[in-house]
Amino acid sequence: MRYSFLFVLLFCILQVELYATDTLACKVDRSSNWAFYGNDKPQARVILVNGRQVQRNFDFKCDIRDTEGNSLYELAQSGVVPPSDSVAVSFTFKTVSPGFYDMTLYNGGRFIEDVVIAYEPEKIAYDLAEGEDFRYMAHQVALARRDIRPQYVMLLNRKLSGRERNVYDFTMVSRGDERVNGYISFPKGKKELKGMLTMVEKGHASDNPLADFTAPSDFVELVLYLNARGEGEEIIKNSFTDMLLALDFLSYRNEVDGSSIYVQGRGYAGMCAFVSSALAENVAGAIVSSPDFSHLTGKYSLSSISGNVSAPLLLGMGLQCNISNLQTVFSLYNKVGEKKEYFVDPHATELERNRWKYIKDIFVKRLGK
């Protein structure tokens, strides 16, 4: 009985190994362009590697959709890969209009990978005119702030402070007597510095507060943990009120040059950073990563908001992003009239922290010249 069990186990292991070796290695070629322009047709290129000493067949399919999930094309290619060799398979399609496209790749019915590519991203003109316009939003936020008596508390955090900087626990009383928390960091012995308001969604705060400080070392940085509280329009009023009160606080400080305050955020906080210069006059630049506009969609005219963004804008995206609707984000980016630039990582769902920090620092340094 024991030997029979071992024989069956050995047979199963061999079958698994044979199945694994019978599967072609498929790798999406990331060296090709993520965006295509003019007469160049969007393309996904896959390298098929045959590690065996026999000829191998492949049966590749590619489903192409727009960012709303609408099916556009179904492409297929079949062929062979010679022994111990590789073959490149390309799927090319003619676009309907500028935009982002999802390409799902299969081989023999087995899912391989989802790939996002773009065609003429800087020409995307998406219809985002639904909802109340910017003036309505600005009026509602002004009403929400009207009866608030700002209260701010700073307590020295000796554990986080060091030789170069003092770090304080920060508490702000906002709309509805809500206490909004965070940290603020000051370089020692310096005044008239640039300021940075770094907004982080409360649920995404790091266990290590120092990890949430990402401004250049010579900045005064206020890290604010946004609590997206309320329902519907109240979420927007509360978050924007928190943001504006924090900006006021930074501009009041003697250590800060009130005309050189930057705002940054990711996801929902990235949306707030995007809108910041439309609502406040003292924003010197907005740094936005993978913004999530879902709380605004259908309530406000996004195009009217982006038309009022007045500060230089840096937009960062992972091309395989699962937070943002890329079509929406770039349609808004394209409507911003001031200085702007974007960075896209074609391989990532989100930007690698240190690389993004380097890009942000260069952007701020360039604006300061």
Side-chain angles (χ1 to χ4, degrees):
M1 181 69 177
R2 181 181 178 186
Y3 291 107
S4 298
F5 171 76
L6 290 174
F7 175 79
V8 172
L9 179 62
L10 181 60
F11 176 80
C12 291
I13 292 172
L14 287 172
Q15 290 300 307
V16 169
E17 289 182 351
L18 285 171
Y19 177 79
T21 56
D22 193 51
T23 303
L24 280 169
C26 306
K27 182 180 180 181
V28 177
D29 181 8
R30 295 292 189 186
S31 63
S32 59
N33 295 333
W34 70 270
F36 299 82
Y37 300 88
N39 295 325
D40 292 335
K41 295 179 180 179
Q43 178 186 94
R45 189 167 181 264
V46 184
I47 308 299
L48 309 180
V49 180
N50 180 5
R52 300 182 66 187
Q53 300 298 318
V54 296
Q55 177 176 287
R56 311 285 297 286
N57 296 326
F58 66 86
D59 181 18
F60 245 85
K61 292 184 179 179
C62 179
D63 294 338
I64 300 168
R65 303 173 306 281
D66 62 22
T67 53
E68 302 300 323
N70 301 311
S71 180
L72 301 177
Y73 302 99
E74 293 182 0
L75 308 177
Q77 286 193 50
S78 298
V80 298
V81 184
S84 302
D85 203 351
S86 62
V87 169
V89 178
S90 296
F91 292 95
T92 303
F93 66 96
K94 182 178 180 180
T95 59
V96 177
S97 61
F100 288 84
Y101 297 88
D102 298 321
M103 305 177 74
T104 304
L105 302 164
Y106 304 89
N107 183 27
R110 183 172 63 92
F111 170 78
I112 300 299
E113 192 170 346
D114 279 323
V115 180
V116 180
I117 58 177
Y119 176 71
E120 297 279 14
E122 291 168 85
K123 291 185 179 179
I124 296 173
Y126 201 45
D127 183 11
L128 298 166
E130 77 285 352
E132 301 285 354
D133 68 12
F134 170 75
R135 289 171 297 179
Y136 173 81
M137 171 193 283
H139 179 65
Q140 292 300 307
V141 174
L143 289 178
R145 293 188 64 193
R146 188 174 58 183
D147 297 325
I148 296 175
R149 296 181 62 186
Q151 299 178 54
Y152 307 101
V153 177
M154 292 192 326
L155 294 174
L156 180 64
N157 188 315
R158 297 185 183 280
K159 192 173 182 180
L160 297 181
S161 298
R163 293 176 59 186
E164 303 294 328
R165 307 176 71 81
N166 281 328
V167 179
Y168 295 81
D169 299 323
F170 176 81
T171 302
M172 177 179 76
V173 179
S174 186
R175 190 167 180 246
D177 292 329
E178 180 77 13
R179 292 184 177 274
V180 184
N181 299 314
Y183 297 87
I184 188 166
S185 172
F186 297 92
K188 289 183 177 180
K190 297 180 181 179
K191 293 186 178 181
E192 295 296 306
L193 297 169
K194 293 182 174 65
M196 178 76 79
L197 172 60
T198 299
M199 292 180 288
V200 181
E201 290 181 68
K202 191 174 182 180
H204 297 165
S206 172
D207 292 334
N208 173 17
L210 291 176
D212 291 324
F213 287 94
T214 60
S217 60
D218 58 344
F219 271 54
V220 173
E221 183 175 11
L222 171 57
V223 177
L224 191 72
Y225 296 136
L226 280 181
N227 181 7
R229 60 198 183 277
E231 298 291 336
E233 194 175 274
E234 291 299 302
I235 297 177
I236 302 304
K237 289 181 185 177
N238 290 329
S239 295
F240 289 169
T241 298
D242 294 349
M243 174 179 68
L244 294 174
L245 289 175
L247 281 170
D248 284 348
F249 176 78
L250 273 177
S251 65
Y252 297 156
R253 300 295 307 183
N254 291 331
E255 302 90 339
V256 179
D257 176 359
S259 64
S260 298
I261 299 176
Y262 297 79
V263 175
Q264 65 175 341
R266 174 182 176 273
Y268 178 79
M271 177 275 292
C272 294
F274 181 88
V275 180
S276 63
S277 69
L279 291 174
E281 296 180 354
N282 61 334
V283 174
I287 299 168
V288 179
S289 173
S290 301
D292 177 10
F293 291 95
S294 59
H295 283 290
L296 294 182
T297 305
K299 300 181 183 70
Y300 303 100
S301 166
L302 300 186
S303 57
S304 76
I305 295 170
S306 60
N308 282 275
V309 171
S310 58
L313 171 69
L314 174 64
L315 169 67
M317 300 290 301
L319 190 60
Q320 317 305 318
C321 179
N322 52 15
I323 296 175
S324 306
N325 183 313
L326 295 167
Q327 192 88 355
T328 298
V329 171
F330 267 79
S331 65
L332 293 175
Y333 174 87
N334 292 338
K335 290 178 182 292
V336 173
E338 287 294 318
K339 296 178 183 176
K340 58 184 179 181
E341 56 188 87
Y342 66 82
F343 170 79
V344 172
D345 187 335
H347 313 300
T349 55
E350 61 182 87
L351 299 174
E352 194 274 324
R353 183 185 181 91
N354 289 334
R355 188 180 187 190
W356 179 230
K357 186 178 186 309
Y358 173 77
I359 292 167
K360 291 188 299 181
D361 290 352
I362 294 298
F363 174 74
V364 171
K365 186 179 293 186
R366 209 164 32 239
L367 289 179
K369 289 182 178 179

